[in-house]
Amino acid sequence: MNLSFLKGKALLLVSALTLFLAGCGTNELSTLRPAGEVGREQFNLMILSIIIMLLVIAVVVVLFTIAVTKSRRSKKAEDFEPVDKAGNHTLEVIWTSIPILLLIVLAIPTVYFVFKQADTEAMTDADGNVNAEETVINVRAYQYWWEFEYPNEEVVTAQELVVPTDKKVYFNLQGADVKHSFWVPAAGGKMDTNIDGINSFYLVFDDDKAQDADRLFYGKCAELCGPSHALMDFKVKALPEEEYDQWLADMKAVEEPVQASSEDAQRGEEIFNNSCMGCHAATPTSPGAMGPNLTNFGDRELIAGYLEHDQENLEAWIKDPESFKPDNKMAGTYELTDEEIEAVASYLMELKVEEGSGDVSQLREPAADEESEEGGN
């Protein structure tokens, strides 16, 4: 009796804990709080499958309870034998048809959304080039960081993805070294970044949901890719289209690296140009660099994807990156004194893009010029 009582208490505790944990999650990082069209469709499919599962469980539990209750030995004679239902074609048709019908109910919306969410034809034009009218972002995954290229605007950045709200954002995904997986939990499901091909899909970020999340969502690598896999995070800034266009214009306006202002930063700039420029770019061009693009490093929210953005953490990261992200490619590629590290950190913290410096009207000027030339021909 005591053992049964303890089992009952344990079951009750686990059930209560499960219910409590089901409420965990935040707007910026929870698949249970979808922030866009794709995430919402996938969430609704999950709810449908749960409803079907609970319905099956409820029916089975009710039938089992009725059978056990009605067939208790105290209610039947000792020589009672249940009716043999083997070979009853009617029952066999019923309990075979019901699962098939339930699978059909689940399969129809699943197949529909699979093909709907795989439709990325709009991201290319009739000639197979990137469609200048759509928002297209090329994502390259490295151990253990992310590069984001905006091919229509010829802008490259890293670690912080900036997207417009209330419209489809198309992604081309590719891995640079090993297989990774691009995932923004609040916006939709994950997709692999393979090294031998490009995967494409789209996401939508609702503006009202972005406001609830302070316009900042979290992205992660969802494929085990090495010792620092769990630290391969990135941020997603979801902005209204006007602010997004201005951000792109500001980035595109950067033609030369930011000039250091303070004495320490000026010394750091010189060290950076001699020791770091081979891997890191300080202008938003040239995708495919060995290290993350640092054009707007001073404007970012995090260092190395997860450290608080301040000079102390930056100096610690530069001094010993291996202690923060084991197996990263930066460790052991340079030798700097503590004073040099401090100077470089001062310079990097000054790498900021001036807001409003770009001309939005000229943002996609090259694409417009090409269309004009084609029309003239």
Side-chain angles (χ1 to χ4, degrees):
M1 178 64 72
N2 290 337
L3 183 59
S4 300
F5 177 72
L6 291 176
K7 286 183 177 180
K9 290 185 64 177
L11 181 60
L12 181 62
L13 178 62
V14 170
S15 301
L17 184 60
T18 301
L19 183 63
F20 175 76
L21 292 177
C24 294
T26 55
N27 292 338
E28 68 273 10
L29 189 61
S30 177
T31 58
L32 302 181
R33 298 183 180 183
E37 174 187 313
V38 175
R40 193 159 45 249
E41 291 170 350
Q42 295 172 351
F43 176 78
N44 290 339
L45 279 177
M46 182 173 63
I47 294 299
L48 175 61
S49 64
I50 291 175
I51 291 174
I52 292 175
M53 176 189 69
L54 292 176
L55 178 62
V56 171
I57 291 175
V59 171
V60 170
V61 169
V62 169
L63 292 177
F64 178 78
T65 302
I66 292 174
V68 170
T69 304
K70 292 183 64 176
S71 301
R72 293 178 65 87
R73 186 175 298 275
S74 59
K75 295 184 178 181
K76 302 291 183 180
E78 289 292 334
D79 58 351
F80 170 76
E81 293 185 6
V83 178
D84 188 1
K85 298 293 184 180
N88 188 315
H89 296 302
T90 302
L91 288 178
E92 290 177 352
V93 169
I94 291 174
W95 60 53
T96 301
S97 300
I98 290 176
I100 293 175
L101 291 174
L102 292 177
L103 287 176
I104 291 174
V105 170
L106 184 59
I108 290 175
T110 300
V111 172
Y112 169 75
F113 285 125
V114 165
F115 282 93
K116 178 179 181 290
Q117 295 176 7
D119 181 11
T120 58
E121 290 186 5
M123 69 190 297
T124 56
D125 57 24
D127 298 324
N129 300 317
V130 178
N131 190 343
E133 301 300 320
E134 300 292 342
T135 301
V136 180
I137 301 174
N138 296 333
V139 178
R140 293 182 183 85
Y142 298 78
Q143 291 178 310
Y144 300 92
W145 58 279
W146 301 86
E147 178 184 85
F148 307 111
E149 177 193 5
Y150 301 76
N152 285 327
E153 297 78 18
E154 299 180 343
V155 167
V156 178
T157 187
Q159 290 300 94
E160 287 195 359
L161 172 65
V162 181
V163 297
T165 55
D166 292 338
K167 66 179 298 185
K168 288 183 178 181
V169 181
Y170 294 92
F171 296 93
N172 290 317
L173 310 177
Q174 189 169 25
D177 34 43
V178 300
K179 178 182 287 189
H180 303 274
S181 190
F182 178 84
W183 188 28
V184 184
K190 57 192 175 183
M191 182 168 285
D192 287 348
T193 62
N194 300 321
I195 59 176
D196 54 355
I198 296 176
N199 286 333
S200 300
F201 79 138
Y202 71 86
L203 295 173
V204 179
F205 298 82
D206 290 348
D207 192 69
D208 57 340
K209 297 295 185 181
Q211 292 184 58
D212 293 341
D214 295 327
R215 300 208 173 276
L216 207 59
F217 297 99
Y218 287 83
K220 304 185 73 66
C221 175
E223 179 79 26
L224 182 60
C225 55
S228 292
H229 156 70
L231 304 176
M232 192 173 165
D233 296 350
F234 61 95
K235 288 286 189 72
V236 183
K237 289 185 177 180
L239 305 176
E241 191 167 4
E242 297 79 11
E243 294 182 25
Y244 168 77
D245 285 345
Q246 186 61 62
W247 175 83
L248 276 175
D250 294 344
M251 289 288 287
K252 191 174 178 64
V254 178
E255 297 180 353
E256 298 291 337
V258 173
Q259 298 299 306
S261 57
S262 67
E263 184 176 343
D264 283 347
Q266 289 174 355
R267 183 164 175 261
E269 180 180 8
E270 182 180 352
I271 298 170
F272 178 87
N273 291 337
N274 293 330
S275 302
C276 311
M277 190 66 79
C279 295
H280 298 279
T283 55
T285 56
S286 303
M290 294 179 63
N293 188 290
L294 301 176
T295 301
N296 61 340
F297 180 83
D299 294 324
R300 295 177 185 170
E301 301 283 339
L302 298 173
I303 295 172
Y306 74 100
L307 297 173
E308 185 177 346
H309 195 275
D310 58 45
Q311 182 151 338
E312 182 180 354
N313 281 334
L314 180 55
E315 291 178 15
W317 163 255
I318 298 173
K319 185 175 182 179
D320 187 14
E322 184 69 16
S323 65
F324 293 97
K325 277 190 175 181
D327 193 44
N328 76 87
K329 308 303 180 186
M330 181 173 165
T333 59
Y334 55 87
E335 293 183 6
L336 298 175
T337 64
D338 289 347
E339 292 75 16
E340 290 173 329
I341 290 174
E342 182 178 352
V344 170
S346 297
Y347 170 62
L348 293 179
M349 295 298 286
E350 290 191 6
L351 292 180
K352 299 181 178 181
V353 176
E354 182 181 354
E355 294 185 11
S357 60
D359 186 352
V360 176
S361 65
Q362 298 181 1
L363 184 58
R364 298 174 180 88
E365 192 176 31
D369 291 343
E370 289 177 8
E371 291 177 1
S372 299
E373 291 177 3
E374 290 177 1
N377 292 333

